[in-house]
Amino acid sequence: AVIDNVVVSQGPPPSCSQPSVLTAAPTSSGASLGWLENGTATAWEVQYGPAGFVLGAGTTVTAATNPVSITGLTANTAYNYYVRANCGVNGYSFWSGPFAFTTLCATQLSGAITINAGAPATATNFQSFTALAAEINVCGIGGPLTVTVAPNSGPYDERFVLNQIVGASAINTITINGNNNLLTWDGTIS
């Protein structure tokens, strides 16, 4: 038999209920973390860190508001957080969580960028179409985007998929300039 979700504690149980229904509204460098208060607590402890962090090893903040804003996070990164109610002189509730969220991208692509396998990867150069597609699929575009393949930098023997692109419109388009490099499409959609 398998047993999981076991809580072992010494002494009486906490005198206040643990929060539930955790939420997060992330930005590119922070998040507004909220929860449902199931009692009368007016203060909480929140602990957050990179996805998969061990409770006790994260960054702990005392929150006097719900939701609470945290800052200093890295863009496009997965995080977890836990929260517990402060029961006053009677200690704390049990922890609730983890709740997972991912910060937003710092910017969306727009303007002119290049594909050049021979140059370092930067904000304006991708070393492959696969890397470009991964960025576009996660972050979208923020304006018209022209992708120029650097002359004599290929061949690029890749298959990539562009999902529904956030920010794309009749005005915000993606144009690929092959620059005399061989670019082919096998005509299939999968």
Side-chain angles (χ1 to χ4, degrees):
V2 176
I3 300 173
D4 63 0
N5 294 326
V6 175
V7 175
V8 177
S9 63
Q10 291 182 326
S15 64
C16 59
S17 300
Q18 70 189 93
S20 61
V21 192
L22 280 61
T23 62
T27 65
S28 62
S29 62
S32 176
L33 308 178
W35 51 88
L36 176 64
E37 170 52 43
N38 292 308
T40 59
T42 58
W44 304 267
E45 273 193 350
V46 174
Q47 190 171 137
Y48 65 93
F53 84 96
V54 175
L55 186 59
T59 300
T60 301
V61 295
T62 300
T65 62
N66 175 15
V68 63
S69 292
I70 58 171
T71 60
L73 303 182
T74 302
N76 196 24
T77 302
Y79 290 91
N80 289 145
Y81 86 93
Y82 297 81
V83 63
R84 67 180 179 175
N86 183 331
C87 306
V89 296
N90 296 316
Y92 293 91
S93 72
F94 292 121
W95 287 102
S96 293
F99 184 84
F101 67 95
T102 300
T103 51
L104 304 179
C105 297
T107 60
Q108 292 178 310
L109 294 174
S110 65
I113 64 168
T114 58
I115 299 277
N116 186 345
T122 66
T124 57
N125 181 67
F126 291 83
Q127 294 181 313
S128 67
F129 281 96
T130 303
L132 174 62
E135 177 83 8
I136 290 172
N137 284 335
V138 171
C139 299
I141 62 174
L145 179 65
T146 300
V147 180
T148 300
V149 181
N152 303 313
S153 65
Y156 294 93
D157 185 17
E158 303 176 68
R159 181 175 182 177
F160 63 93
V161 174
L162 291 175
N163 299 322
Q164 183 172 351
I165 301 169
V166 172
S169 68
I171 296 170
N172 291 348
T173 60
I174 300 174
T175 303
I176 299 176
N177 175 1
N179 218 359
N180 296 319
N181 286 282
L182 178 61
L183 305 175
T184 61
W185 176 50
D186 69 8
T188 63
I189 299 174
S190 60

